Coordinates of all heavy atoms in Angstrom, one line a residue:
Y203 N 23.5 -13.5 -2.4 CA 22.8 -12.4 -3.0 C 21.3 -12.3 -2.6 O 20.8 -11.3 -2.2 CB 22.9 -12.5 -4.6 CG 22.1 -11.4 -5.3 CD1 22.4 -10.1 -5.3 CD2 21.0 -11.8 -6.1 CE1 21.7 -9.1 -5.9 CE2 20.2 -10.8 -6.7 CZ 20.6 -9.5 -6.7 OH 19.9 -8.5 -7.3
F208 N 16.9 -10.3 0.8 CA 15.9 -10.5 1.8 C 16.1 -9.6 3.0 O 15.2 -8.9 3.5 CB 16.0 -12.0 2.3 CG 15.0 -12.3 3.4 CD1 13.7 -12.6 3.0 CD2 15.3 -12.3 4.7 CE1 12.7 -12.9 4.0 CE2 14.4 -12.6 5.7 CZ 13.1 -12.9 5.3
L243 N 9.8 -13.4 -6.1 CA 11.0 -12.5 -6.5 C 12.1 -13.4 -6.9 O 12.7 -13.2 -8.0 CB 11.4 -11.6 -5.4 CG 12.6 -10.8 -5.6 CD1 12.5 -9.8 -6.7 CD2 13.1 -10.1 -4.3
K265 N 2.3 -6.2 -3.8 CA 0.9 -5.8 -4.0 C 0.1 -7.0 -4.5 O -1.0 -7.2 -4.0 CB 0.8 -4.6 -4.9 CG 1.1 -3.3 -4.2 CD 0.1 -3.0 -3.2 CE 0.2 -1.6 -2.7 NZ -0.7 -1.2 -1.7
F283 N -22.6 -8.0 -9.2 CA -24.1 -8.0 -9.0 C -24.7 -7.2 -10.0 O -24.1 -6.3 -10.6 CB -24.5 -7.6 -7.6 CG -24.3 -6.1 -7.3 CD1 -25.3 -5.2 -7.5 CD2 -23.0 -5.6 -6.9 CE1 -25.1 -3.9 -7.3 CE2 -22.8 -4.3 -6.7 CZ -23.9 -3.4 -6.9
L285 N -28.0 -4.7 -11.0 CA -28.9 -3.7 -10.3 C -30.3 -3.9 -10.8 O -30.8 -3.2 -11.7 CB -28.4 -2.3 -10.6 CG -28.9 -1.2 -9.7 CD1 -28.7 -1.5 -8.2 CD2 -28.3 0.1 -10.1
I299 N -25.2 12.4 -5.6 CA -24.2 11.9 -6.4 C -23.1 12.9 -6.7 O -21.9 12.5 -6.7 CB -24.8 11.4 -7.8 CG1 -25.7 10.2 -7.5 CG2 -23.7 11.0 -8.8 CD1 -26.5 9.7 -8.6
S349 N 12.4 8.7 15.9 CA 12.8 10.1 15.6 C 12.9 10.3 14.1 O 12.5 11.3 13.6 CB 14.1 10.5 16.3 OG 15.1 9.6 15.9

Side-chain angles (χ1 to χ4, degrees):
Y203 175 68
F208 181 84
L243 173 65
K265 280 295 195 182
F283 68 96
L285 194 57
I299 294 172
S349 60

